[in-house]
Amino acid sequence: SVAVFASIFPLWSTARKNYTPLDDEAQFTITARAPEGTSLEGTRRIFDDLAADLRALPEVRVVVVTVGSDRGQTPNLGTTCVRLNEVEDRQQRFTQFQIMETARTRILPKYRAKLLWLSLLKAGGLTGSPQADVQLSVSGPDLAVLAHSSDAAVAAASRLPGVSDVQSSLVTGQPELRATIDRVRAADLGVNVADVAQALRLGVAGDDKISSYVEGGEEYEVHTRLAPQYRRDVSGLDLLLVSTTDATGGRGTVTLDQVTQFVNGISPAAIERYNRNRQYTLKINLVPGFSQGAATDAALRIMKDQKLGPAYRVVATGPQREFKRTFTAFLMAFLMSFLIMYLVVAAQFESFNHALVIMITLPLTMPFAMLSLRLSGESLNIFSMLGMLVLLGVVKKNAILQVDRANQLREAGMSLHDATVQACKDRLRPILMTTLAFVAGMVPLVLARGTGAGTSRATGGVIVGGQMLSLLLTLVAAPVFYVVLDDCHGGRSSSSTYPAWRRPSPQPSPGGRGGRTRRPKGQHRTTPLMYPSAAFIATV
């Protein structure tokens, strides 16, 4: 038993840890970004060609392309949503992940040279929107340091085993035209810097409302900006007029080129912030069969090797952060359920020792549950942990049946050893019957193959495997612990273990009640243990 319980640690360390199981949801998403400066029409042409190739894949039903539909309306960012036939309607029996791997190996390499980055994502699932398998948030004060860190992290993470797509949210190379104001000359000419900024904003962006008019009962805003031929290069912007004010208060105008110099440059496409610091997000996708937990640890080691300094912070976000939060919550649930079950069983048996015998068998089921994950090829995720929680409530009934029967036989006068052996014989059939009935009820979950059946298999598989494999040890461990704990308390016989009114009588009672004495009048079976247990359960 000690060896089996100790095996939970290597089983835990080698298990694949994912937030959710692999679930065929009959859909996936491809997100890509064209090089900075690509027009909306240029991005659309690339995605139209990609959609045409995706439609040729087997079992593909619908392909939808959207470009520039994000919050910032980025013209070079697009998304392709691929909807597959339902699992039961597929003729060639390809899974979603096989089709995704075909797209990753045969179609996407054709477009990697045309795109800045390309990411193939599973459906949103529990999160509601597609997310990368591994996400790290890196924040700090210096944008140049973050840009260097981003490039180095993408290069290093791309060499990790099982990694398919690596990208960073910090995209540099966005072309921009910087207006540098000659403040000395502007002051000499009486030009206000705010007037220069307003002239550029009105001429290029046209964001400011300058008026409104009413037509047909509807009010419309009026915005103005320069015609396209004056906005496409510096020569047109230089003709913008800016108002001036001389020393006497007289007003005039000068052209923009007299006080401003335009310089071509590059900048980040977007600057993300977290806690008033600049940040970027490293996103990594994995090939099916690899662990999100292991990949996250490897990515954290890469960031640690960069030695960014104390001003920079690296944290795991996305699925792995939710997995850690969920694991902490489940661990608390395990501990609370273990405590409450112990108190309830102790109150029922009126003995802390017997309750301890029953509860000792529960930790022995966890290694078998972990082993069933390895045998079934499943990962440790939120649904398999839910199955383990259910398993705790089911496995303890085997020990309850054995201990209860042994107590009955000892009350009838049998010795500790004989009562324990006979109890195991008497309770073997009901234990096997209830176990088989429970496993049979879980079989439909294990054999489920429809759309979204991965969650059912993750829950049912760990229950079936843990319940059946744990019988190999718990049926023997429970009676052994029962005897050992009795010996640890002085090897008391049944006559010293039970109160006088529960001891077997050498002569049958006048009522012929199986040789047991009647309970003395006014003597009750309640013990002080029952009251604090009930109070504690009511409080919880």
Side-chain angles (χ1 to χ4, degrees):
S1 297
V2 173
V4 168
F5 181 74
S7 67
I8 193 173
F9 300 104
L11 288 173
W12 165 266
S13 61
T14 58
R16 291 188 294 114
K17 303 176 186 65
N18 298 333
Y19 180 51
T20 56
L22 288 178
D23 203 350
D24 193 331
E25 298 181 347
Q27 59 183 344
F28 61 90
T29 301
I30 297 177
T31 303
R33 190 182 190 108
E36 298 306 307
T38 306
S39 65
L40 185 67
E41 186 60 32
T43 307
R44 166 67 69 178
R45 286 195 296 268
I46 296 175
F47 274 84
D48 286 342
D49 295 339
L50 176 60
D53 291 339
L54 291 173
R55 291 188 181 97
L57 290 175
E59 308 297 346
V60 173
R61 187 173 65 184
V62 178
V63 178
V64 179
V65 174
T66 57
V67 177
S69 60
D70 60 312
R71 192 185 331 181
Q73 298 182 349
T74 309
N76 61 324
L77 183 64
T79 302
T80 302
C81 298
V82 181
R83 180 69 182 179
L84 308 176
N85 294 326
E86 300 298 332
V87 177
E88 55 272 14
D89 297 333
R90 296 175 191 170
Q91 299 179 355
Q92 302 183 33
R93 299 299 178 185
F94 289 124
T95 66
Q96 169 189 325
F97 304 100
Q98 291 174 331
I99 298 173
M100 291 173 64
E101 188 62 24
T102 301
R104 180 181 287 115
T105 56
R106 297 184 182 180
I107 296 179
L108 300 189
K110 296 168 50 179
Y111 297 91
R112 294 192 184 276
K114 302 179 182 179
L115 298 168
L116 191 64
W117 53 257
L118 191 148
S119 179
L120 195 152
L121 302 171
K122 297 178 292 186
L126 295 178
T127 61
S129 60
Q131 283 190 335
D133 295 324
V134 177
Q135 295 184 184
L136 296 184
S137 174
V138 185
S139 59
D142 193 338
L143 189 61
V145 174
L146 291 178
H148 178 74
S149 170
S150 173
D151 296 337
V154 170
S158 300
R159 296 190 292 268
L160 294 176
V163 169
S164 58
D165 306 309
V166 181
Q167 69 184 71
S168 171
S169 62
L170 181 57
V171 179
T172 57
Q174 173 73 25
E176 69 176 7
L177 192 62
R178 299 174 182 172
T180 304
I181 302 174
D182 187 344
R183 295 180 179 270
V184 176
R185 185 172 178 81
D188 293 340
L189 296 176
V191 176
N192 193 340
V193 175
D195 293 337
V196 177
Q198 183 178 14
L200 286 173
R201 187 170 63 249
L202 290 174
V204 178
D207 292 335
D208 293 350
K209 171 187 172 183
I210 63 171
S211 181
S212 62
Y213 77 97
V214 178
E215 180 180 338
E218 297 290 338
E219 182 177 348
Y220 299 92
E221 294 184 355
V222 177
H223 297 255
T224 63
R225 68 175 179 172
L226 295 174
Q229 61 269 26
Y230 296 104
R231 286 187 282 115
R232 70 168 54 102
D233 54 30
V234 177
S235 60
L237 297 177
D238 285 339
L239 301 178
L240 276 173
L241 296 178
V242 183
S243 62
T244 64
T245 304
D246 56 22
T248 62
R251 302 191 62 84
T253 58
V254 296
T255 56
L256 201 61
D257 60 344
Q258 297 185 46
V259 295
T260 304
Q261 182 182 4
F262 291 96
V263 179
N264 289 316
I266 58 174
S267 67
I271 300 178
E272 300 178 1
R273 297 183 184 274
Y274 179 77
N275 283 346
R276 298 184 178 181
N277 278 327
R278 296 176 175 89
Q279 76 150 11
Y280 73 88
T281 303
L282 181 66
K283 301 179 181 180
I284 303 173
N285 290 330
L286 302 176
V287 176
F290 285 82
S291 171
Q292 292 178 356
T296 301
D297 294 338
L300 289 173
R301 286 194 296 269
I302 291 175
M303 300 307 304
K304 184 178 180 180
D305 293 339
Q306 292 186 2
K307 299 179 180 179
L308 296 176
Y312 296 85
R313 184 168 178 261
V314 181
V315 294
T317 60
Q320 273 304 297
R321 179 179 62 182
E322 298 303 321
F323 176 82
K324 290 183 178 180
R325 291 177 177 176
T326 305
F327 176 75
T328 303
F330 267 107
L331 184 61
M332 182 60 65
F334 281 131
L335 295 177
M336 291 300 298
S337 62
F338 190 90
L339 177 60
I340 293 177
M341 283 191 293
Y342 175 74
L343 293 176
V344 171
V345 174
Q348 290 177 337
F349 281 89
E350 302 178 4
S351 169
F352 284 113
N353 294 337
H354 295 162
L356 185 60
V357 170
I358 295 169
M359 302 308 295
I360 282 178
T361 60
L362 298 187
L364 297 179
T365 63
M366 292 296 101
F368 293 106
M370 299 290 295
L371 181 61
S372 66
L373 293 178
R374 297 288 297 274
L375 296 178
S376 62
E378 294 288 343
S379 63
L380 182 65
N381 50 69
I382 59 175
F383 293 100
S384 58
M385 286 191 290
L386 179 62
M388 293 181 183
L389 190 60
V390 175
L391 191 62
L392 287 181
V394 177
V395 171
K396 73 176 187 301
K397 55 90 179 173
N398 300 340
I400 289 178
L401 292 175
Q402 292 174 314
V403 171
D404 181 65
R405 181 56 179 166
N407 288 343
Q408 293 177 2
L409 295 175
R410 294 180 68 187
E411 290 180 30
M414 295 184 66
S415 65
L416 172 64
H417 178 273
D418 294 340
T420 306
V421 174
Q422 187 62 38
C424 293
K425 294 180 180 180
D426 295 344
R427 291 299 185 240
L428 179 61
R429 179 179 296 178
I431 288 175
L432 294 180
M433 290 176 61
T434 54
T435 300
L436 292 177
F438 185 75
V439 169
M442 294 289 106
V443 168
L445 294 180
V446 178
L447 300 181
R449 289 296 181 269
T451 300
T455 56
S456 301
R457 293 196 300 270
T459 305
V462 69
I463 296 177
V464 171
Q467 176 79 339
M468 296 184 66
L469 294 176
S470 63
L471 287 179
L472 302 176
L473 183 60
T474 55
L475 288 182
V476 180
V480 170
F481 286 135
Y482 180 78
V483 175
V484 169
L485 284 179
D486 190 274
D487 292 339
C488 290
H489 285 77
R492 293 173 296 180
S493 64
S494 60
S495 60
S496 61
T497 302
Y498 298 97
W501 57 268
R502 295 180 63 181
R503 295 177 195 163
S505 174
Q507 298 295 331
S509 61
R513 303 190 123 207
R516 294 182 58 185
T517 59
R518 294 182 179 273
R519 183 187 307 175
K521 185 177 180 180
Q523 188 171 3
H524 303 283
R525 296 184 59 179
T526 56
T527 64
L529 169 65
M530 300 180 64
Y531 297 109
S533 300
F536 177 82
I537 294 171
T539 303
V540 173

